[in-house]
Amino acid sequence: MPELPEVETVVRTLAPHVLMREILSMDEVRPCRVPESLPCSKAVGYTVAEVFRRGKFIVARLAEKDCEDLFWVTHLRMTGSLMAYEGIMRESEAANPGKYTRCVIKLGSRAGEATTEEGCRILFNDVRTFGRIFLGNKKALEEWSSWKKLGPEPLSMGEDAFAKAIRGKRNIKSVLMDQHVIAGIGNIYADESLFAARIHPARTADSLSVEDKKRLYAELVRLLLLSIEECGSSIRDYHDANGNVGAFQNHLMV
């Protein structure tokens, strides 16, 4: 499953393709919306104003002159990918929906240019079909259970907040991977940071000293930033929005 560095890489590679472009169509080819979501067709006519990451979620803020903003949120889960096709690549076979395509998004030209013709196509493909899409306004987003329960971001929470969050009788690896405690960490970066900090993953969170927790936080941040520099870890399915693989798997110690 893509974790924080992989999702951050997708955001950074997707943004140049979609920013300031109007959504011409958003077609749910196969069911992938969460129950709380608006129909995908409601995004038509909106312009992608911002793309960012929250935990493992890819978020696009959509703006329209006389309407409130909408938020298009994608969770890739195990095998999902967002692939962008522009120019001659839109005519390639890969740009056509296949048996694993869940959603097709067509965007016009840049703002200020003619938007009647397709400028970019995004395919949301997902072999295992666990990936999900949410579309709604800010209020609906904030009330969505999968969103409102997200814990703080590890890269910005600081070591003191991290030390306070790491507690309880569960093993430390389970705590690190709990998205309600810290957002964005999964198997890869829990294992790697614990190994680097020389902390056994079966130890309970409460057994760690403050020094242990601060050492763990320093290693977690270091490895997350290094992985972002390396465009994430490509072990099986993960690719960025341009179809490229990451390189951090070459640094894995576990």
Side-chain angles (χ1 to χ4, degrees):
M1 177 186 291
E3 301 177 32
L4 187 155
E6 291 76 43
V7 176
E8 180 66 27
T9 301
V10 172
V11 165
R12 294 183 182 189
T13 53
L14 180 68
H17 295 287
V18 302
L19 281 175
M20 305 311 297
R21 279 184 154 148
E22 181 183 340
I23 294 178
L24 304 179
S25 65
M26 181 182 282
D27 297 322
E28 187 179 12
V29 180
R30 294 176 178 84
C32 58
R33 284 183 301 119
V34 300
E36 299 89 342
S37 175
L38 293 171
C40 289
S41 59
K42 293 293 185 181
V44 174
Y46 282 77
T47 297
V48 180
E50 183 182 8
V51 183
F52 60 95
R53 178 194 58 77
R54 175 72 172 101
K56 298 179 184 180
F57 290 107
I58 300 161
V59 188
R61 180 174 63 85
L62 311 180
E64 206 281 336
K65 183 177 180 181
D66 298 318
C67 301
E68 63 179 335
D69 291 351
L70 293 181
F71 292 85
W72 158 28
V73 184
T74 307
H75 197 311
L76 301 176
R77 295 289 180 91
M78 297 279 294
T79 58
S81 65
L82 287 174
M83 302 295 294
Y85 301 93
E86 289 201 60
I88 193 171
M89 291 303 297
R90 289 203 320 274
E91 309 305 319
S92 67
E93 184 177 350
N96 295 322
K99 64 178 180 178
Y100 299 125
T101 302
R102 323 309 296 176
C103 189
V104 179
I105 303 96
K106 295 181 180 179
L107 300 104
S109 302
R110 301 288 179 194
E113 301 174 351
T115 58
T116 56
E117 296 183 2
E118 181 183 351
C120 179
R121 183 180 306 171
I122 307 294
L123 296 189
F124 175 35
N125 295 322
D126 186 11
V127 176
R128 298 284 298 274
T129 74
F130 295 143
R132 291 292 179 265
I133 284 178
F134 167 92
L135 181 69
N137 61 22
K138 185 177 181 181
K139 184 175 185 295
L141 176 64
E142 292 174 344
E143 292 177 352
W144 181 28
S145 59
S146 296
W147 180 271
K148 69 180 181 181
K149 293 180 180 179
L150 282 175
E153 292 287 329
L155 293 177
S156 58
M157 66 187 298
E159 64 176 16
D160 291 335
F162 179 85
K164 290 179 181 178
I166 300 302
R167 55 189 173 82
K169 301 300 182 182
R170 290 184 296 166
N171 67 64
I172 180 57
K173 181 177 176 181
S174 296
V175 174
L176 283 177
M177 293 174 58
D178 188 336
Q179 301 304 295
H180 300 163
V181 177
I182 303 169
I185 308 303
N187 263 312
I188 296 174
Y189 302 101
D191 286 344
E192 292 298 317
S193 59
L194 287 167
F195 182 83
R198 299 296 187 265
I199 295 172
H200 196 287
R203 283 182 62 180
T204 63
D206 280 348
S207 74
L208 271 63
S209 67
V210 174
E211 290 73 21
D212 288 334
K213 295 176 182 180
K214 290 186 176 182
R215 186 173 71 256
L216 174 57
Y217 180 70
E219 292 296 343
L220 177 62
V221 170
R222 179 182 69 82
L223 291 167
L224 289 174
L225 291 175
L226 176 58
S227 185
I228 290 171
E229 288 181 11
E230 296 285 335
C231 299
S233 301
S234 291
I235 296 173
R236 183 175 299 171
D237 301 290
Y238 162 71
H239 293 77
D240 67 19
N242 294 318
N244 299 316
V245 298
F248 187 70
Q249 65 273 12
N250 299 319
H251 299 272
L252 299 180
M253 301 298 292
V254 180

